[in-house]
Amino acid sequence: MFTRRTVAKFAALAPILASTAQAATPGKVAGSAPALEVETLSLEELHKAALAEGGKLVVYGGGDIPNGAAGMEQAFAKRFPGMTARILVDRSKYQGVRIDNQLDLDALQCDVVHILAWQYYDRWKAGGELMAYKPLGWDAVYPDFKDPDGMITSVAIYAFSSLINKSKLTENEAPYDAVDFLNPKLKGQIALTYPQDDDSILYQFERIVAKHGWDYIEKLMKQDILWNRGSGITRRRVESGEAAVSFTTSGPIVANPKGPTQFLLPRTEPFLSWAHPGAIFNRTKRPAAAKLYMSWLLSEEIQGTKRSWSVREDMASPEGMEPIFAYKTYPIHFREFLRDRARAETFRDQLEQYIGPMQGENPTKVEGIFPEGRI
């Protein structure tokens, strides 16, 4: 017998019973979409699909060297005959706003992006602009280096620490930690990248000030620093011998015996490292080529070169090195710094009072919302 009271009780329980039944359904979580599978096609199959699509790809990458990805463009074309990739390199802060503007104009030029600015990816994901895609090898990527929804996947690990010119300094003479750069013998021999021009360098300086105080910056400024716009320009000045050392650029993790420089990790302090994120846009005109490119970047062919640490757990570390998480470094903390724009901008303004305004033009010489024309 059903009374009004029992009907009311069933009505109240109905949402709970329905939710429980849904949660109990195999392979489905209440309120969620089905789990996205990792790519199952091989690189060769993805290559065929990309050729059928037209064989072209446009990528916006972060960097500060003019045509800094020319080598990668050539390697991609050689590995996948018939494919043409244009990887436009510019500062991450410029690429982010450039893409924002193109999206607003509904005139997106790139298919894939890999810049360090995580804060842009967060916004693009929230706005529905990123494609959910888990490339080949995605399941082997460190969990902290990827978005579980498959919209953002790190493709490389970069690190900044001491880089010395071997003809100028020996390992015993080299500065390893921040205080070592205050050695009077290094006056006029230190090349650094403007921190107010690059968030990665800004984070390095924030860490230094947090440990050593603002007095450190005052003392550093007395070292007659050779300031540069761009870490790549800084590295070239060390490579050429114009400067003896820097801590605001990258270098080969495993030293080339015939090369002019050597990369040294600190003895006691942390160093900067980050997992470089990549993503495909939903508005891409070339989804097959974009998927091929992302899967290639995560492949053993690229991740197994041992030039640096891999974003994949199943790849060996560079010769003589431990896995990235064995060191005093903060790839995850740096990402949080990037997301806290008020923190970054406040520190940038404070630091500029000591260093002064930047000098020089953008080294990539890439300009405008559509630097290579609007398609």
Side-chain angles (χ1 to χ4, degrees):
M1 296 286 296
F2 287 95
T3 66
R4 289 183 180 179
R5 183 173 296 177
T6 57
V7 169
K9 285 182 179 180
F10 275 112
L13 288 171
I16 299 173
L17 294 171
S19 177
T20 303
Q22 187 180 40
T25 303
K28 184 172 179 62
V29 178
S32 73
L36 180 69
E37 293 185 358
V38 176
E39 178 63 80
T40 57
L41 297 180
S42 67
L43 287 177
E44 286 65 33
E45 291 170 322
L46 290 169
H47 180 199
K48 290 179 181 178
L51 288 174
E53 182 184 68
K56 303 211 179 274
L57 176 73
V58 178
V59 179
Y60 279 7
D64 48 38
I65 295 292
N67 292 316
M72 184 175 287
E73 291 174 346
Q74 294 166 9
F76 184 76
K78 181 178 180 180
R79 174 63 180 82
F80 303 107
M83 295 296 301
T84 300
R86 174 59 176 131
I87 307 174
L88 179 69
V89 170
D90 196 11
R91 316 302 298 278
S92 291
K93 63 180 183 180
Y94 297 145
Q95 296 285 47
V97 295
R98 179 173 290 127
I99 290 170
D100 277 346
N101 206 172
Q102 291 181 4
L103 289 171
D104 286 344
L105 295 169
D106 195 21
L108 183 66
Q109 304 298 291
C110 65
D111 309 294
V112 178
V113 59
H114 43 71
I115 59 178
L116 67 79
W118 270 91
Q119 69 274 19
Y120 285 100
Y121 293 89
D122 291 338
R123 181 154 40 77
W124 292 331
K125 178 182 176 181
E129 296 292 353
L130 300 183
M131 179 186 293
Y133 178 65
K134 295 179 179 180
L136 284 168
W138 185 92
D139 47 358
V141 175
Y142 286 101
D144 284 336
F145 294 169
K146 61 188 177 185
D147 164 41
D149 295 324
M151 296 184 188
I152 310 162
T153 305
S154 296
V155 296
I157 292 178
Y158 293 109
F160 283 5
S161 186
S162 295
L163 183 72
I164 64 170
N165 183 293
K166 294 186 291 187
S167 68
K168 296 278 189 176
L169 295 170
T170 66
E171 286 188 57
N172 291 332
E173 298 169 325
Y176 286 78
D177 298 308
V179 293
D180 299 336
F181 283 82
L182 301 181
N183 186 336
K185 293 182 179 179
L186 295 176
K187 187 173 183 177
Q189 292 295 308
I190 304 171
L192 295 179
T193 310
Y194 282 116
Q196 62 268 54
D197 195 35
D198 189 313
D199 281 344
S200 62
I201 313 302
L202 190 68
Y203 181 70
Q204 285 185 287
F205 274 81
E206 192 202 47
R207 176 185 57 78
I208 290 170
V209 170
K211 181 169 184 177
H212 301 287
W214 287 104
D215 287 348
Y216 177 91
I217 304 300
E218 290 184 344
K219 294 174 182 176
L220 183 68
M221 292 304 297
K222 295 177 182 178
Q223 291 289 71
D224 293 343
I225 303 299
L226 305 173
W227 291 104
N228 308 281
R229 288 200 66 184
S231 61
I233 305 301
T234 297
R235 183 175 63 250
R236 287 180 173 180
R237 295 184 82 170
V238 176
E239 289 171 343
S240 69
E242 185 180 355
V245 65
S246 178
F247 64 81
T248 61
T249 190
S250 60
I253 302 299
V254 178
N256 177 357
K258 297 181 181 180
T261 62
Q262 185 168 354
F263 188 75
L264 304 170
L265 296 182
R267 289 191 171 114
T268 62
E269 296 186 354
F271 63 94
L272 168 68
S273 67
W274 75 90
H276 205 66
I280 301 173
F281 286 102
N282 271 328
R283 301 194 212 182
T284 172
K285 302 177 182 69
R286 297 163 280 261
K291 291 177 179 180
L292 171 64
Y293 181 74
M294 286 294 290
S295 286
W296 178 62
L297 291 182
L298 282 190
S299 69
E300 294 184 22
E301 300 171 18
I302 302 298
Q303 295 294 319
T305 59
K306 300 183 183 179
R307 294 173 185 165
S308 181
W309 292 280
S310 172
V311 297
R312 291 177 51 158
E313 296 180 88
D314 60 345
M315 294 287 103
S317 299
E319 185 178 356
M321 307 293 290
E322 298 293 328
I324 184 68
F325 289 109
Y327 296 94
K328 290 183 178 180
T329 186
Y330 300 101
I332 308 306
H333 291 182
F334 175 52
R335 184 169 66 200
E336 297 310 312
F337 173 79
L338 291 170
R339 286 169 165 162
D340 191 341
R341 299 319 298 166
R343 169 185 170 190
E345 290 163 13
T346 298
F347 184 71
R348 179 186 296 116
D349 292 343
Q350 291 174 320
L351 198 57
E352 189 164 321
Q353 304 310 307
Y354 289 83
I355 296 174
M358 296 182 296
Q359 304 294 321
E361 62 182 354
N362 177 16
T364 67
K365 296 181 170 51
V366 175
E367 297 179 348
I369 301 304
F370 302 101
E372 298 188 328
R374 183 169 176 171
I375 301 174

